[in-house]
Amino acid sequence: MKKQHSLIIGGTRGTGRALAKLFAANGHVVSVIGRRAPAESDKGIPNIRHWVVDLLDKAQLEATLSEILQTNGKLNSLTFLQRYRGQDDNWAGEIETSLTATKQIIERLTNEFDDNGAIVLVSSIIGQFVVPGQPVSYHVAKAAIDHMVRYYAVTLGPKGIRVNGVSPASIIKEESREFYLKNEKLLDLFKKIVPLGRIGTAEEVAQVIAFLCSPQASLVTGQNLVADGGMTLASQESLARQISSL
């Protein structure tokens, strides 16, 4: 039986890294595109191959996508987790990285899926809320990703391709684990205000993505699953009252 081929855009750190390991452990052939080389500990993991690509270099991106298809065959799933890492509020950089590259890749690969393909765009609760400290370009890009999910779910549905989104809140990633472990007061606050009583992890978000890519979600398309432990369900007023009483 042919192995599942999963392509991850932005898979060398954070949730993308956790997803690559999860897919590989489940026997997928995993192709990862990232802006940097993987960590030394990730090199040589069975079933995972990395390509270092500048998503804004259209010629390099096209050549890499062609090489990936030649190497590992048609796709079963495609996941987007990339984000712009430049300085300040670089509107053009954010839009090009988060939106234009996503559009280019999806439309390049539309006819490169096996039957019942799945696409997942990882967004953020910032697509619905305003978070001070993040620039307007980041907010707008995340909101646009949420609508791209609906657009491509409608237009690619006749091809048998499902398109869904996942919107995490704050999560513990391998790269941020030490920060949270040293901030017990912050973790304790999350325990008090999050309905599930804790902050989530990159591995848990990866599990949500894997579900949306699996046959178990065969009738699910055009949806945005919020993976936040219920953090965004309570009103600001109730949270303010709760925090003030701590």
Side-chain angles (χ1 to χ4, degrees):
M1 182 180 294
K2 177 182 177 294
K3 289 186 176 182
Q4 299 277 303
H5 179 199
S6 299
L7 172 57
I8 302 173
I9 312 299
T12 55
R13 299 185 68 189
T15 302
R17 183 184 187 189
L19 181 65
K21 291 180 177 180
L22 176 61
F23 276 152
N26 289 340
H28 294 209
V29 172
V30 185
S31 302
V32 176
I33 288 179
R35 67 186 181 91
R36 66 176 72 189
E40 285 297 322
S41 60
D42 291 349
K43 294 179 180 178
I45 296 178
N47 297 327
I48 301 179
R49 179 172 172 182
H50 296 84
W51 280 263
V52 178
V53 178
D54 178 0
L55 293 180
L56 304 188
D57 185 333
K58 292 181 171 53
Q60 183 191 31
L61 178 58
E62 168 59 31
T64 301
L65 293 174
S66 296
E67 182 180 344
I68 287 172
L69 293 170
Q70 290 175 356
T71 302
N72 290 330
K74 285 185 175 290
L75 300 172
N76 299 99
S77 70
L78 168 63
T79 306
F80 293 88
L81 299 107
Q82 81 278 14
R83 68 162 294 184
Y84 178 68
R85 295 289 181 181
Q87 300 296 316
D88 302 319
D89 185 11
N90 188 325
W91 179 276
E94 185 71 67
I95 299 304
E96 285 290 312
T97 301
S98 297
L99 304 181
T100 304
T102 298
K103 175 181 183 294
Q104 180 185 358
I105 293 170
I106 289 177
E107 296 183 0
R108 165 64 177 85
L109 298 176
T110 292
N111 296 316
E112 301 295 348
F113 283 84
D114 273 343
D115 294 338
N116 303 313
I119 299 174
V120 175
L121 281 67
V122 177
S123 181
S124 165
I125 62 167
I126 290 179
Q128 302 177 50
F129 299 95
V130 175
V131 177
Q134 292 290 355
V136 63
S137 56
Y138 186 65
H139 286 79
V140 169
K142 293 306 182 185
I145 286 173
D146 294 345
H147 201 64
M148 288 177 78
V149 166
R150 294 185 286 272
Y151 174 84
Y152 284 118
V154 171
T155 58
L156 299 183
K159 293 180 176 290
I161 300 173
R162 298 179 296 104
V163 185
N164 290 289
V166 175
S167 290
S170 297
I171 58 172
I172 298 176
K173 306 174 184 178
E174 189 167 338
E175 298 83 3
S176 63
R177 194 176 308 278
E178 184 177 357
F179 167 79
Y180 283 105
L181 291 178
K182 289 182 177 179
N183 286 268
E184 294 184 11
K185 290 182 64 176
L186 180 60
L187 284 178
D188 188 59
L189 180 60
F190 276 122
K191 290 178 183 179
K192 290 181 171 64
I193 67 173
V194 177
L196 286 185
R198 61 182 177 83
I199 189 172
T201 67
E203 289 74 19
E204 289 178 305
V205 176
Q207 290 281 2
V208 176
I209 298 169
F211 163 71
L212 290 173
C213 293
S214 74
Q216 285 71 34
S218 59
L219 196 61
V220 181
T221 195
Q223 304 305 304
N224 180 19
L225 294 186
V226 177
D228 69 349
M231 184 186 300
T232 56
L233 294 176
S235 71
Q236 292 180 337
E237 179 183 2
S238 65
L239 287 176
R241 292 179 181 275
Q242 186 176 351
I243 294 171
S244 67
S245 66
L246 295 179

